[in-house]
Amino acid sequence: MKPLILVTNDDGITSKGISVLIEVVKTLGDVFVVAPDSPNSGMGHAITVDSTIHIKKSKIFKDIEAYECSGTPADCVKLAKHHFLRGRKIDLVVSGINHGMNASVSVLYSGTMSAAVEASIEGIPAIGFSLNDFRYDADFRHVKRYLKRIVEKSLKNGVPPHIALNVNFPAKSDKPIKGIKICRQTNGYWREEFDARTDLYGRPYFWMGGDFVNREPESEDTDIWAMENNYVAIVPVQYDRTAYPEIKSLKKWKL
Amino acid sequence: MKPLILVTNDDGITSKGISVLIEVVKTLGDVFVVAPDSPNSGMGHAITVDSTIHIKKSKIFKDIEAYECSGTPADCVKLAKHHFLRGRKIDLVVSGINHGMNASVSVLYSGTMSAAVEASIEGIPAIGFSLNDFRYDADFRHVKRYLKRIVEKSLKNGVPPHIALNVNFPAKSDKPIKGIKICRQTNGYWREEFDARTDLYGRPYFWMGGDFVNREPESEDTDIWAMENNYVAIVPVQYDRTAYPEIKSLKKWKL
């Protein structure tokens, strides 16, 4: 029996990235799609608790059962597992391919990775894929063989329990991809610039912009270094957020 | 000079929890408020990247400079640091008090904690506070002295760099709070139930419900155990999501 692969993303069901992902994984298993009906970039691990979730059957992918959902990427995974595929074993959740990188702290803001992490909480093997090119018509051709290899190996070896893989592909360039590197999350942050404007009625509003600051640009074991040096970066991501070394230091506060 | 304390939350600027938080921390420093203009429960670490952010000056808190913001809790922290308080040193960010607990995996879905984590990424000491009672008119009186003690100690000792504290208070009950426990994040998950309904036009929609499943109810070092046994639970939370032990196991895949 072929493995059951659930596909989702955060750029929405009509994005190019998800169609490339489906094109690759449908050669490896039975594909079922539940994806947001509109862009959910920067959605993080949001879930819909205070309002209703709406779904529609989608005919967008030939011969593949697909639903578009008004909820977030994490909602899509929950709805797939507990409603559409209730009682069936999902062998793998794949999310993406995101238009834009999700390395370093972007893993926290990423709807793509939050869908994968949501699956890992449920005990389902999961991988989030992102390309370091946020353009609508980004070129994904150079990543297909790497994506296929990672999915094949994940189905064969099993993603470690309660872990989601964060895969970041370099953007298409003149230089070929050098290979795949297992990395850790880069220590960095986004330095925001708020562009203050005034609307037609004199009221202030803002656009959030900014650039990424790498606190450790020389560290060759990090995901940003790998991506910038034309490797595919893979970081194993956990949902236990405890900073274990600090438990001891806080106990000394004698609260 | 008094410390500068930035206050935010995810239930919105009109909620009871944020007014209790302000009431306590204004005795310990100069308070500045940037909070969402509407409820943001379950917002996780979402940020507003594809649309505009709107703000309004609020007169809701007497003698305290406050702004309400159309963005997410994480947006509020970014906007405060990079716009309103640009160039000033923020000594502490406090977020909450959330109506509802944010222990175990709820830390991932929580807007309250994401605001605190956002601050920690920026290198600002930060604490998120939550009460295990989601009611609109929840009783916060029993937690004030513990909240004050935690903020005082944090200002004095310094929260460890790049760590946010996740503080969960037990709901008001007949039993007094026994004390404060430093904990780790409980291994658990939310088991969802989707309630499928039909709208007035025959279209399907869902409400997400569910209950929390504790995978380790006997572990006395976890935040859920502490909270359920009438302790205030504090977990130090980090934003490095790397599952370090799995780097070695993935390298064996020879990708």
Side-chain angles (χ1 to χ4, degrees), chain A residues 42 46-47 53 75 78 109 118 121 149 153 185 192 206 208 215 236 238-239 241-243 253 255, chain B residues 42 46-47 53 75 78 109 118 121 149 153 185 192 206 208 215 236 238-239 241-243 253 255:
Chain A
I47 52 172
I53 301 172
D75 289 339
K78 286 177 185 283
Y109 308 115
E118 183 59 42
I121 293 172
R149 195 192 299 173
K153 284 271 193 184
Q185 178 182 321
E192 267 75 29
F206 300 88
M208 189 193 297
R215 289 195 180 106
Q238 64 184 26
Y239 58 83
R241 306 281 298 270
T242 313
W253 287 17
L255 282 159
Chain B
I47 52 173
I53 300 173
D75 289 338
K78 287 176 184 285
Y109 308 116
E118 183 58 42
I121 293 172
R149 195 190 301 171
K153 284 272 193 182
Q185 178 182 321
E192 267 75 30
F206 299 88
M208 189 192 298
R215 287 195 180 107
Q238 64 184 25
Y239 57 83
R241 307 282 298 271
T242 313
W253 286 18
L255 281 159

Side-chain angles (χ1 to χ4, degrees), chain A residues 54 60 65 91 95 131 141 165 179 202 235 254:
Chain A
H54 302 255
I60 197 171
E65 194 167 350
D91 294 291
S95 178
L131 179 74
R141 282 172 299 178
L165 303 184
V235 175
K254 300 204 180 306

Side-chain angles (χ1 to χ4, degrees), chain B residues 176-196:
Chain B
I177 288 179
K178 287 181 198 152
I180 296 173
K181 263 178 103 81
I182 312 299
C183 307
R184 63 179 174 84
Q185 178 182 321
T186 308
N187 188 353
Y189 64 100
W190 287 89
R191 183 171 45 203
E192 267 75 30
E193 288 285 338
F194 284 93
D195 192 37

Side-chain angles (χ1 to χ4, degrees), chain B residues 205-217:
Chain B
Y205 71 95
F206 299 88
W207 284 103
M208 189 192 298
D211 54 334
F212 177 73
V213 181
N214 191 343
R215 287 195 180 107
E216 47 172 351

Side-chain angles (χ1 to χ4, degrees), chain B residues 237-253:
Chain B
V237 171
Q238 64 184 25
Y239 57 83
D240 182 355
R241 307 282 298 271
T242 313
Y244 285 93
E246 304 303 341
I247 289 181
K248 213 170 157 187
S249 73
L250 288 173
K251 281 186 174 167
K252 287 188 193 141
W253 286 18

